[in-house]
């Protein structure tokens, strides 16, 4: 299969420099208006493409993959998470799946740290008061807009992979005490460098932390990992931050607990039913909500595109792509 004749279908608008390179190397069909593919368009794409380049918002499930044409041999995901793709069905149909790991680590960790600061210090609430032209603010006051310091607080990280460790490095510099829960304990040298305390019991960690940061992928095992029961273990003065996947938290339970003052607040960049957001979360001044922009930097998106191109080119040249995804990884 010659790479310059391979049809590569891209489901969303990508940075210009990435799209230009795709056109130079392949027969690339681009989505210039950035309108998300309908289910019918996804099915048509898998029927005709040699390579599909989807994003995390494209649901490539069994029903879609069952209609893939014989020439579809690679799904080169533009993104790190692959919970939108039925990996087992792809494997059964001999379709390789790749992703773009590593390049979004620092950007996502930056956004996580921003939310860890923003929620206890009420940054979004304060900015909104000024923008709304409020008459409430008459200058500095000893008791106006009081939040809570983060220095010295205990941060519990759920998922100590690349992003979790990057969050820990930042949080340590801000004087937080680092705790974590992970499927496997990290190497002793990493734990020592981060001065991190490991908890094999997520329940026990949740009950003792001041701030919880969700940094694990969404898999069947992590769906509603932060269930209503587990959320109820947290202290009413605790905050929760999620820049991973919305499905990891029971969003209805979270909204209800914040509304009832059973949790102090939340910083959320992802949501269980994106793009829909629970109205209770939107109304609450205890919640900072962002439109899934944790990885939204020019540098990050270009780096993602370069990984996609390398994976496609390597595969079409007859070699194993560097970022091949195996179901066991997730």
């Amino acid at each position: 299969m010659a790479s310059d004749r391979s049809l590569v279908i891209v489901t969303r608008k990508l940075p210009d420099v990435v799209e230009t390179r795709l056109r130079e190397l392949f027969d690339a069909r681009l989505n210039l208006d950035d309108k998300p593919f309908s289910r019918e368009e996804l099915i048509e794409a898998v029927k005709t493409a040699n390579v599909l380049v989807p994003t995390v918002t494209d649901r490539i499930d069994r029903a879609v993959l069952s209609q893939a044409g014989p020439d579809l041999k690679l799904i080169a995901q533009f993104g790190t998470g692959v919970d939108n793709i039925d990996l087992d069905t792809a494997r059964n149909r001999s379709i390789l799946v790749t992703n773009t790991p590593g390049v979004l680590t620092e950007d996502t960790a930056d956004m996580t740290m921003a939310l860890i600061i923003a929620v206890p210090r009420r940054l979004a609430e304060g900015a909104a008061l000024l923008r709304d032209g409020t008459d409430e603010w008459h200058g500095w006051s000893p008791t106006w807009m009081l939040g809570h310091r983060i220095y010295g607080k205990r941060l519990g990280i759920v998922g100590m992979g690349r992003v979790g460790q990057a969050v820990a490095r930042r949080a340590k510099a801000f004087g937080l005490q680092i705790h974590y829960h992970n499927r496997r304990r990290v190497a002793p040298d990493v734990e020592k460098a981060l001065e991190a305390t490991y908890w094999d019991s997520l329940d026990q960690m949740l009950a003792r932390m001041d701030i919880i940061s969700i940094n694990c992928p969404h898999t069947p095992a992590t769906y509603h990992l932060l269930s209503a029961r587990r959320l109820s273990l947290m202290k009413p003065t605790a905050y929760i931050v999620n820049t991973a996947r919305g499905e990891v938290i029971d969003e209805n339970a979270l909204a209800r607990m914040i509304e009832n003052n059973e949790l102090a607040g939340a910083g959320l960049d992802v949501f269980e039913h994106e793009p829909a957001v629970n109205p209770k979360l939107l109304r609450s001044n205890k919640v900072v909500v962002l439109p899934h922009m944790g990885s939204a930097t020019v540098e990050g998106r270009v780096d993602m595109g370069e990984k996609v191109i390398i994976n496609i080119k390597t595969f079409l040249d007859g070699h194993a792509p560097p970022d091949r995804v195996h179901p066991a990884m997730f």
Side-chain angles (χ1 to χ4, degrees):
M1 186 186 297
S3 62
D4 60 350
R5 300 185 61 184
S6 299
L7 176 59
V8 176
I9 297 181
V10 185
T11 66
R12 297 297 295 267
K13 176 82 176 71
L14 303 183
D16 288 347
V17 64
V18 175
E19 291 185 336
T20 300
R21 191 62 177 147
L22 283 167
R23 291 295 298 270
E24 289 172 347
L25 292 171
F26 319 111
D27 178 12
R29 185 182 300 171
L30 307 178
N31 182 353
L32 298 179
D33 64 4
D34 199 32
K35 180 182 178 183
F37 275 26
S38 66
R39 192 165 184 80
E40 291 72 24
E41 288 172 321
L42 281 175
I43 291 172
E44 184 61 30
V46 300
K47 284 181 177 179
T48 58
N50 302 123
V51 178
L52 181 71
V53 181
T55 70
V56 295
T57 61
D58 297 306
R59 185 170 176 78
I60 316 296
D61 57 17
R62 180 180 299 180
V64 170
L65 288 174
S66 67
Q67 301 191 56
D71 293 329
L72 180 64
K73 299 300 181 184
L74 176 66
I75 298 176
Q77 172 96 320
F78 185 86
T80 301
V82 290
D83 50 305
N84 59 307
I85 302 171
D86 187 327
L87 298 178
D88 290 330
T89 300
R91 185 187 67 246
N92 292 336
R93 295 184 66 90
S94 299
I95 302 170
L96 266 66
V97 177
T98 60
N99 65 345
T100 60
V103 295
L104 303 179
T105 299
E106 304 304 329
D107 297 331
T108 306
D110 284 346
M111 187 62 78
T112 305
M113 197 66 223
L115 288 171
I116 288 172
I117 298 170
V119 179
R121 294 303 306 271
R122 305 172 67 179
L123 298 188
E125 186 183 355
L129 283 171
L130 294 182
R131 284 205 175 90
D132 292 344
T134 181
D135 294 329
E136 294 182 54
W137 189 57
H138 304 289
W140 182 87
S141 165
T143 56
W144 175 247
M145 289 296 294
L146 297 183
H148 291 277
R149 71 164 59 126
I150 64 168
Y151 180 86
K153 298 296 192 297
R154 292 185 174 90
L155 171 67
I157 297 173
V158 181
M160 200 61 146
R162 290 188 185 95
V163 175
Q165 291 179 34
V167 170
R169 290 194 298 271
R170 286 159 173 76
K172 181 172 175 287
F174 276 82
L176 284 101
Q177 299 178 43
I178 310 302
H179 298 250
Y180 76 98
H181 170 80
N182 203 45
R183 285 187 301 174
R184 291 179 295 273
R185 192 166 184 168
V186 301
D189 59 329
V190 174
E191 214 172 72
K192 181 178 179 181
L194 297 174
E195 299 178 24
T197 300
Y198 172 67
W199 294 84
D200 57 1
S201 167
L202 176 58
D203 286 9
Q204 290 187 18
M205 185 182 80
L206 291 173
R208 292 164 170 82
M209 297 299 108
D210 301 302
I211 304 168
I212 291 292
S213 177
I214 306 299
N215 299 108
C216 63
H218 171 226
T219 68
T222 63
Y223 175 77
H224 280 194
L225 182 66
L226 273 293
S227 60
R229 180 190 69 80
R230 282 203 167 113
L231 289 170
S232 69
L233 298 175
M234 295 174 60
K235 298 186 293 187
T237 55
Y239 302 92
I240 190 163
V241 169
N242 189 7
T243 57
R245 283 290 185 271
E247 294 90 342
V248 178
I249 300 178
D250 183 336
E251 191 170 283
N252 284 329
L254 176 67
R256 183 174 63 252
M257 290 181 67
I258 291 174
E259 184 179 48
N260 294 334
N261 296 317
E262 295 168 1
L263 281 174
L268 306 172
D269 186 46
V270 290
F271 305 93
E272 187 173 351
H273 304 291
E274 288 186 25
V277 181
N278 189 304
K280 290 182 179 178
L281 296 175
L282 291 174
R283 289 196 300 266
S284 176
N285 60 14
K286 300 176 183 177
V287 181
V288 176
V289 290
L290 299 174
H292 202 152
M293 54 189 286
S295 63
T297 67
V298 173
E299 297 87 350
R301 295 288 190 252
V302 171
D303 287 346
M304 289 169 69
E306 289 176 351
K307 272 193 171 281
V308 167
I309 291 168
I310 290 170
N311 284 322
I312 297 173
K313 186 72 167 61
T314 304
F315 174 76
L316 294 177
D317 285 345
H319 305 291
D323 300 310
R324 181 177 179 179
V325 171
H326 302 277
M329 297 165 58
F330 294 88

